[in-house]
Amino acid sequence: EVQLVESGGGLVKPGGSLRLSCAASGFTFSSYSMNWVRQAPGKGLEWVSSISSSSSYIYYADSVKGRFTISRDNAKNSLYLQMNSLRAEDTAVYYCARVAEGIVATGPFDYWGQGTLVTVSS
Amino acid sequence: EIVLTQSPGTLSLSPGERATLSCRASQSVSSSYLAWYQQKPGQAPRLLIYGASSRATGIPDRFSGSGSGTDFTLTISRLEPEDFAVYYCQQYGSSQGTFGGGTKVEIK
């Protein structure tokens, strides 16, 4: 069974940093592109970042470029999101999502984690 | 960046009725790389449709997708009680996988 479990969320002050993790199991992690998608409270989905299976291709939304860094460790079946210079508008549930087999890294997403809440507030 | 606009924002329908949801892109979506997701309160999204018209594994055939270029449609032929939810489109044909703002399908 495919499982994605996020961790690392919490309360952080504006300007602070946080590192999210996503532990994957039930599939060959190193064969799939992975993404982070976020959802602010009561709002819609926002794509955040994408990383290809071998980390050769990495993409970011304009809203996080230069502040967030996506990475993965295929030996540990784990995906990460390093978030720096956090702002109030980064407050959201952050989901990790697996890209269905295909040739692009930014979708579609066939499996999602349950999300981890990041709150940026003083 | 490709911007996706979904309409209507809210659709009020009764069980058994047909639902038609629209997703319009600000520029042509490459290779019809357009997906639809369903999200219920407190849950992660679920993939319904990919490649504009292909149903994901386990998705009932009352869900269908169509369209190409800049105009895409998700149709639910006969609404079941479990179909009342929020629906999002997403394009993944560029280096940024943008989502639409969502359409809420509510019980009339």
Side-chain angles (χ1 to χ4, degrees):
Chain A
E1 179 194 5
V2 172
Q3 282 200 312
L4 299 170
V5 180
E6 302 93 339
S7 61
L11 176 64
V12 61
K13 289 181 168 53
S17 297
L18 213 54
R19 189 195 196 204
L20 305 184
S21 299
C22 172
S25 61
F27 65 103
T28 305
F29 180 72
S30 59
S31 297
Y32 290 83
S33 296
M34 298 294 296
N35 284 244
W36 289 99
V37 176
R38 69 184 180 183
Q39 187 168 35
K43 302 298 184 182
L45 301 172
E46 180 185 12
W47 174 80
V48 173
S49 183
S50 171
I51 186 167
S52 62
S53 58
S54 60
S55 305
S56 298
Y57 300 96
I58 288 176
Y59 307 108
Y60 296 100
D62 291 344
S63 58
V64 307
K65 201 173 295 183
R67 301 187 299 122
F68 289 12
T69 302
I70 192 172
S71 62
R72 64 190 295 161
D73 185 336
N74 287 343
K76 294 183 178 180
N77 292 338
S78 293
L79 174 72
Y80 306 102
L81 186 68
Q82 177 67 42
M83 304 186 295
N84 299 330
S85 303
L86 283 161
R87 307 166 179 167
E89 54 265 36
D90 295 318
T91 294
V93 172
Y94 285 73
Y95 295 101
C96 68
R98 189 185 86 165
V99 176
E101 287 186 276
I103 59 173
V104 296
T106 51
F109 309 134
D110 58 352
Y111 285 94
W112 298 64
Q114 280 306 301
T116 187
L117 176 63
V118 172
T119 303
V120 184
S121 175
S122 55
Chain B
E1 176 188 336
I2 298 177
V3 176
L4 299 180
T5 302
Q6 292 188 239
S7 61
T10 301
L11 202 49
S12 298
L13 295 168
S14 301
E17 290 195 294
R18 181 185 189 89
T20 303
L21 287 66
S22 173
C23 176
R24 179 162 291 176
S26 59
Q27 54 189 281
S28 185
V29 176
S30 173
S31 301
S32 293
Y33 284 155
L34 193 287
W36 290 92
Y37 301 87
Q38 175 194 69
Q39 188 180 33
K40 297 179 180 179
Q43 296 183 15
R46 177 174 71 145
L47 177 66
L48 300 175
I49 301 286
Y50 63 95
S53 60
S54 298
R55 270 187 301 276
T57 302
I59 301 303
D61 61 8
R62 63 180 182 272
F63 291 92
S64 63
S66 63
S68 63
T70 61
D71 289 296
F72 299 87
T73 301
L74 174 70
T75 302
I76 311 171
S77 58
R78 294 172 311 279
L79 282 164
E80 298 288 339
E82 62 267 28
D83 299 336
F84 291 92
V86 180
Y87 293 83
Y88 296 94
C89 58
Q90 184 219 4
Q91 68 80 24
Y92 51 97
S94 71
S95 61
Q96 295 188 325
T98 49
F99 286 90
T103 291
K104 181 179 182 180
V105 179
E106 65 176 22
I107 299 177
K108 186 174 182 181

